[in-house]
Amino acid sequence: MGNNLIPLRIAGVGYSVPDAVITNDDLTKLYDTSDEWIYSRTGIKERRVVSGEENAIDLGFAAAKNALEKAKMAPEDIDLIIAASSAPPDLYPAIACHIQARLGISTQVPAFDITAACTGLIYALSIAKAYIASGMYKNILLVATDNNSRLVNWEDRGTSILFGDGAGAMVVTASDDGVDDVIAIDIKSDGSIGDLIELSFDGKNCPLVEQYEPKPQGIRMNGRGVYTFVAKVLPHYVENLIANAGMKAEDIDYLIPHQANIRIIQAVQERLGYSDDKVVTNIKYYGNTSAASIPLALAESVEKGKVKLGTTAVLCGFGAGMTWGGAIVRLREGIC
Ligand code: UT7
């Protein structure tokens, strides 16, 4: 990092999940499937889902409060809010604006959402890093939250088995000791294969002109296509991210990946040569929580003592777009 750029400190992480649990056995009431089929192909046993009025904004708000407490910061200390979501409950107001209001932040701090699907937290962290480095903002709240259970087609057994709901949040701030907690960060996309995972939001044409054929509702995914692409690209990508930072895999303590499929996680793990105790997986209990997946895995594993602090971790994710990205971060004492 150049001399004039301000380093970033990760000050706090938090998470929130809804109470309702749907097991693989529960799904057999909806379609022809089995716990054995789902678990052996994905590593998922159950997922949490929102119910009633609850949505991704509620989950994001709870995770944000949790991260602020861990960071020992008051809502008024925050000068920018970025929310990442695959499909916000409202296109506007942004989730970030809802959270600003719910936190009771009375100053008119900027708040906006980004869409990079399951890579959302890495994209948001990359944006926050640039803002902090430039001195433009000092204390940034990142919230990654999704309620995919409202957006999947519950008649599509190939897709709806995978997703769950949850939120993760991170407070990042200008570091005052010269140490940057983001050792390396990189984000990528390839829009030419965007049709691998799609969720349309298309409305209707003006009634005075020709209408168009509306696209089917709900998340549409070519599961096999996503799997093949990611299994080919991601292990090599993470390996390069580490090498480009001038590090070796053994220099890093933990792998905290997007929780989409246990076999994809294992492919990255094998490439890095990591033992199971270095790899964070909670897919068994939450499924794929999209943008929330990485910060949820991070915050929960620290809280439960699986991940020790005073360590480093490589985060990596991929999702609709297609987007993918990775970051090597320092996990200081006190973040959770
Ligand atoms: O962050 C989002 C990223 N998305 C992903 O990471 C998805 C990555 N892909 C995957 O995880 C896997 O592709 C899936 C788990 C989604 C599907 O596994 P697959 O081994 O690729 O299955 P498939 O789609 O090729 O389907 C194989 C068979 C089909 O039956 P036939 O045509 O061979 O008779 C499906 O109809 O499995 C059938 N099938 C099911 N059977 C029981 C599909 N879903 C189910 C199900 N239960 N839930």
Side-chain angles (χ1 to χ4, degrees):
M1 179 175 270
N3 286 339
N4 297 326
L5 298 179
I6 299 167
L8 175 155
R9 178 167 67 87
I10 298 173
V13 293
Y15 72 99
S16 166
V17 288
D19 291 334
V21 177
I22 303 292
T23 65
N24 291 345
D25 285 335
D26 292 333
L27 293 180
T28 63
K29 295 175 199 149
L30 297 180
Y31 35 61
D32 179 18
T33 190
S34 66
D35 175 55
E36 196 282 327
W37 194 97
I38 299 171
Y39 186 60
S40 63
R41 277 173 181 74
T42 66
I44 301 167
K45 278 273 178 196
E46 57 189 48
R47 69 285 293 142
R48 302 293 185 97
V49 297
V50 293
S51 77
E53 298 296 318
E54 184 180 36
N55 67 17
I57 298 166
D58 303 301
L59 300 176
F61 172 54
K65 274 204 307 188
N66 193 214
L68 281 164
E69 274 163 29
K70 298 292 162 51
K72 299 188 178 56
M73 278 192 205
E76 297 288 333
D77 296 331
I78 294 297
D79 54 12
L80 170 66
I81 304 172
I82 306 172
S85 186
S86 300
D90 306 322
L91 279 185
Y92 45 84
I95 291 176
C97 293
H98 281 290
I99 288 177
Q100 177 196 31
R102 293 225 198 152
L103 286 172
I105 300 177
S106 56
T107 48
Q108 288 148 1
V109 299
F112 61 88
D113 291 0
I114 60 157
T115 303
C118 308
T119 325
L121 187 275
I122 309 275
Y123 268 67
L125 183 59
S126 166
I127 296 167
K129 180 166 170 58
Y131 273 136
I132 285 181
S134 69
M136 203 158 162
Y137 297 105
K138 191 165 182 282
N139 298 324
I140 305 179
L141 171 63
L142 308 178
V143 183
T145 184
D146 265 309
N147 51 212
N148 285 301
S149 69
R150 284 198 179 164
L151 302 159
V152 293
N153 172 359
W154 284 106
E155 290 172 3
D156 175 2
R157 65 178 182 169
T159 302
S160 56
I161 53 162
L162 293 177
F163 293 99
D165 302 336
M170 193 182 263
V171 175
V172 296
T173 183
S175 173
D176 53 15
D177 61 6
V179 177
D180 200 317
D181 289 353
V182 178
I183 299 166
I185 191 156
D186 182 71
I187 48 177
K188 294 266 186 288
S189 76
D190 183 351
S192 72
I193 47 170
D195 59 356
L196 287 175
I197 316 176
E198 293 177 300
L199 175 61
S200 299
F201 181 80
D202 53 3
K204 280 185 177 164
N205 282 349
C206 166
L208 301 176
V209 300
E210 187 187 344
Q211 296 300 299
Y212 67 89
E213 187 65 34
K215 292 195 179 138
Q217 294 298 296
I219 298 173
R220 286 169 287 129
M221 183 179 70
N222 172 349
R224 187 51 69 96
V226 173
Y227 185 90
T228 307
F229 172 75
V230 176
K232 188 169 141 221
V233 168
L234 198 66
H236 182 58
Y237 172 74
V238 177
E239 192 176 47
N240 275 350
L241 179 79
I242 296 170
N244 290 342
M247 300 175 82
K248 295 192 172 66
E250 56 266 33
D251 298 334
I252 297 168
D253 299 301
Y254 300 104
L255 166 66
I256 308 181
H258 171 44
Q259 311 284 312
N261 183 307
I262 196 71
R263 292 183 295 165
I264 293 173
I265 295 174
Q266 285 162 349
V268 179
Q269 173 178 0
E270 273 164 33
R271 182 65 76 100
L272 299 182
Y274 283 5
S275 52
D276 288 349
D277 58 325
K278 290 185 73 157
V279 182
V280 173
T281 59
N282 62 6
I283 188 169
K284 189 171 176 183
Y285 304 105
Y286 299 121
N288 178 347
T289 56
S290 259
S293 162
I294 296 172
L296 168 56
L298 166 61
E300 189 197 42
S301 59
V302 173
E303 187 185 81
K304 295 197 166 159
K306 155 125 185 150
V307 164
K308 306 276 179 273
L309 296 177
T311 56
T312 52
V314 57
L315 318 178
C316 62
F318 61 89
M322 291 294 286
T323 58
W324 62 103
I328 303 171
V329 296
R330 262 179 254 281
L331 304 174
R332 300 194 198 204
E333 295 291 346
I335 62 165
C336 190

